[in-house]
Amino acid sequence: VRQMAFYDSLTKLPNRRLLIDRLSRTIATSKRNACYGALMFLDLDNFTPLNDKQGHDTGDLLLAEAARRIAGCVRAEDTVARFGGDEFVVMLELNTDKKVSITQATQVAEKIRAALEKTYSLPVFQSDGSSTMIEHLCTSSIGIAMFINHETPK
């Protein structure tokens, strides 16, 4: 029941409900330790045409692979969540130094961007039960919001 309530069934990542809980904890930790945090919002570019042309099963495979790639770019203590559709959120707990924290968040975002832009090899299933492999390119758009002590830094 816990798995169904707090995790996305397709990607096995935390869902929006668990993300909000973890965000409140991270904000409290940020305030207590005077450390920066970062929220990254990721949207997959060129996902909808694949989903529309090749079908939802193939789109789901791309989403699951994208989730694995994103999770592989962060530390175990960071949070990667599926926000919905082809949108993901990454939450990082960072450093007490503003410049260092911004650099860290930017490096993680770049690592994610590079991982997501690699070619996806995906099976497309036919009605007769056979499948063919296709290659698909899917870049991402990433926005970063830094925070500390319940506020966004200037």
Side-chain angles (χ1 to χ4, degrees):
V1 173
R2 178 171 163 45
Q3 184 73 21
M4 289 172 35
F6 295 112
Y7 291 88
D8 177 65
S9 60
L10 175 64
T11 63
K12 310 302 184 228
L13 294 176
N15 62 20
R16 190 181 304 202
R17 179 180 290 153
L18 184 54
L19 172 67
I20 291 168
D21 178 66
R22 288 188 181 173
L23 178 59
S24 65
R25 290 178 188 196
T26 300
I27 289 172
T29 300
S30 170
K31 184 174 184 176
R32 184 174 52 254
N33 298 333
C35 289
Y36 283 87
L39 274 179
M40 295 183 195
F41 291 87
L42 293 83
D43 184 68
L44 300 179
D45 305 326
N46 202 26
F47 170 76
T48 302
L50 171 80
N51 207 38
D52 291 348
K53 183 178 179 186
Q54 302 299 340
H56 295 287
D57 290 341
T58 303
D60 287 352
L61 292 172
L62 186 137
L63 289 172
E65 176 60 23
R68 280 189 291 278
R69 292 181 186 188
I70 296 166
C73 293
V74 301
R75 305 166 299 186
E77 62 266 23
D78 297 323
T79 297
V80 177
R82 182 167 176 217
F83 201 66
D86 63 345
E87 298 171 335
F88 296 86
V89 174
V90 176
M91 184 173 52
L92 308 173
E93 293 183 40
L94 300 167
N95 196 290
T96 57
D97 182 90
K98 182 178 181 179
K99 278 188 168 184
V100 170
S101 294
I102 290 170
T103 299
Q104 289 172 334
T106 302
Q107 288 172 340
V108 171
E110 178 56 29
K111 188 175 178 182
I112 292 169
R113 187 202 59 74
L116 290 175
E117 76 176 7
K118 291 180 182 173
T119 303
Y120 294 80
S121 294
L122 304 165
V124 176
F125 299 99
Q126 310 301 321
S127 58
D128 65 1
S130 66
S131 67
T132 56
M133 295 298 286
I134 63 163
E135 291 189 343
H136 185 74
L137 293 176
C138 189
T139 57
S140 60
S141 299
I142 303 174
I144 304 172
M146 302 293 294
F147 62 88
I148 189 167
N149 295 330
H150 295 306
E151 298 177 1
T152 54
K154 305 286 185 224

